[in-house]
Amino acid sequence: MVVVAIIGILATVSVVAYSGYISSSKKTTMRSLMQAVALAESEWYAETGSYLTNSEDETCNPSDATIEAINENLFEDEDVIPDDLGWTMCVASAAGGGSFQIFAEKDNGDPTEDVMLSLIHISEPTRLLSIAYAVFW
């Protein structure tokens, strides 16, 4: 009976640890995808002279529709940002259209998990001067 109890405790601990590992890896994947979007935005800017955004405001609401628009326009309909990752993403205008910010949000709406990547663009269209993460814990 004691052996069964010990096995049950070990199984519970391992499931919790595994769930934390999966959550952390999905967040890391989203950060990598945000960097891919930032790179695609620089290519878009070089071709069009403006950034592709889901919102002209300095904030946006990540959703499946914004992910679809990013995949369709920046990645030529490739499913680069999967819709089953458990995260959504959007791109907002910043600095009067001279820059952009990428917002990612966990599907369950937990604001402690939100991630933002800002790109500051100054004068030269193909020069990306700063990429900074602001991770809200």
Side-chain angles (χ1 to χ4, degrees):
M1 190 65 124
V2 173
V3 173
V4 173
I6 291 172
I7 291 173
I9 291 169
L10 290 175
T12 302
V13 169
S14 64
V15 166
V16 170
Y18 179 73
S19 296
Y21 170 75
I22 294 299
S23 177
S24 175
S25 68
K26 286 183 177 184
K27 188 172 189 176
T28 301
T29 299
M30 183 51 70
R31 287 182 184 164
S32 296
L33 290 170
M34 291 169 81
Q35 290 179 334
V37 169
L39 181 60
E41 284 281 5
S42 67
E43 292 176 18
W44 182 274
Y45 188 92
E47 293 173 7
T48 66
S50 65
Y51 292 111
L52 176 78
T53 59
N54 301 114
S55 170
E56 295 304 316
D57 296 329
E58 291 195 8
T59 61
C60 57
N61 296 313
S63 68
D64 289 336
T66 57
I67 287 177
E68 185 178 326
I70 292 168
N71 279 333
E72 182 179 318
N73 293 297
L74 292 180
F75 300 112
E76 299 175 351
D77 282 329
E78 294 291 324
D79 194 21
V80 173
I81 305 168
D83 55 5
D84 61 351
L85 188 61
W87 285 77
T88 52
M89 177 190 304
C90 65
V91 181
S93 181
S99 183
F100 64 90
Q101 297 182 87
I102 304 170
F103 295 92
E105 183 177 277
K106 203 169 185 183
D107 281 348
N108 68 6
D110 183 2
T112 62
E113 295 279 345
D114 292 354
V115 179
M116 180 186 75
L117 181 137
S118 294
L119 181 126
I120 301 166
H121 169 262
I122 301 174
S123 72
E124 297 176 27
T126 58
R127 187 172 174 193
L128 307 179
L129 297 182
S130 173
I131 296 178
Y133 283 111
V135 180
F136 302 101
W137 296 100

